[in-house]
């Protein structure tokens, strides 16, 4: 019994899976903020209100995709991975464009956050979390169907 894994889905995933998920969220949030700010300021010379509005809009979309991951969507996990890779690619030209030491520090932090998030999303632990959430919501669907069948029988 000690070596066997139990297939019981609790309400919350194990701490290791949850910690990895939260770390990915934080890295992507940092990467989104830094990338968005640098890209909009350097490429488009955006005004502050456009900067805030654009980053707010991207953050809302990020939250919706991330919500899909919490529901066990492997597609949403892939979208987050490719999102981080796209931000990395968009920020590479900034290495040539920007001037000043502080920008290179911010770019380094940005690359570290986005590369780390992409690596963690590709990792086995994050995929286990998505699978755990998928199984959890499949179990809920099955339980709901059983309850509806029993209610239908009792109504007859």
């Amino acid at each position: 019994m000690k070596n066997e894994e139990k297939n019981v889905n609790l309400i919350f995933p194990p701490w290791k899976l949850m910690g990895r998920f939260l770390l990915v969220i934080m890295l992507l949030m940092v990467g989104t903020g830094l990338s968005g700010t640098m890209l909009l300021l350097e490429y488009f010379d955006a005004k502050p209100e456009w900067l805030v509005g654009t980053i707010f809009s991207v953050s809302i979309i990020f939250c919706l995709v991330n919500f899909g991951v919490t529901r066990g969507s492997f597609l949403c996990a892939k979208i987050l991975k490719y999102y981080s890779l796209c931000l990395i690619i968009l920020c590479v030209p900034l290495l040539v464009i920007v001037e000043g030491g502080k920008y290179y520090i911010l770019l380094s932090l940005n690359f570290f956050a986005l590369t780390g998030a992409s690596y963690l999303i590709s990792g086995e632990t994050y995929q286990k979390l998505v699978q755990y959430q998928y199984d959890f919501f499949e179990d809920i669907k099955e339980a709901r169907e059983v309850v509806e069948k029993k209610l239908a029988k009792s109504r007859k």
Side-chain angles (χ1 to χ4, degrees):
M1 184 94 165
K2 291 180 183 178
N3 295 333
E4 296 178 14
E5 285 189 33
K6 293 183 180 181
N7 273 342
V8 177
N9 284 330
L10 303 173
I11 293 176
F12 296 109
W15 285 108
K16 180 180 179 181
L17 301 180
M18 190 63 116
R20 186 67 51 100
F21 175 72
L22 294 174
L23 180 61
V24 167
I25 290 173
M26 295 306 295
L27 289 173
L28 283 174
M29 287 174 57
V30 167
T32 298
L34 288 173
S35 296
T37 303
M38 287 189 206
L39 289 172
L40 290 171
L41 289 177
E42 292 299 322
Y43 289 159
F44 303 109
D45 197 26
K47 295 181 181 176
E49 56 270 7
W50 283 100
L51 183 68
V52 171
T54 304
I55 291 179
F56 180 74
S57 300
V58 170
S59 297
I60 295 296
I61 294 169
F62 169 74
C63 289
L64 292 174
V65 172
N66 203 32
F67 182 75
V69 172
T70 64
R71 297 298 180 238
S73 172
F74 287 98
L75 175 65
C76 290
K78 281 186 180 180
I79 289 171
L80 287 179
K81 178 183 174 185
Y82 291 124
Y83 169 72
S84 66
L85 292 175
C86 285
L87 286 179
I88 291 170
I89 291 168
L90 288 172
C91 288
V92 167
L94 289 175
L95 290 169
V96 177
I97 295 172
V98 298
E99 297 174 2
K102 62 183 176 182
Y103 291 114
Y104 290 118
I105 293 171
L106 289 175
L107 272 173
S108 298
L109 179 64
N110 186 30
F111 286 135
F112 171 76
L114 292 172
T115 306
S118 178
Y119 175 76
L120 291 175
I121 290 171
S122 300
E124 185 179 331
T125 306
Y126 194 83
Q127 296 301 315
K128 280 183 183 179
L129 170 84
V130 177
Q131 185 65 49
Y132 185 92
Q133 292 299 103
Y134 178 80
D135 293 342
F136 176 74
F137 285 101
E138 285 297 314
D139 289 347
I140 288 175
K141 287 178 188 176
E142 289 175 16
R144 185 178 295 152
E145 289 173 3
V146 169
V147 169
E148 287 175 358
K149 286 179 184 177
K150 292 208 181 219
L151 288 175
K153 285 181 183 179
S154 68
R155 289 180 188 157
K156 292 180 180 181

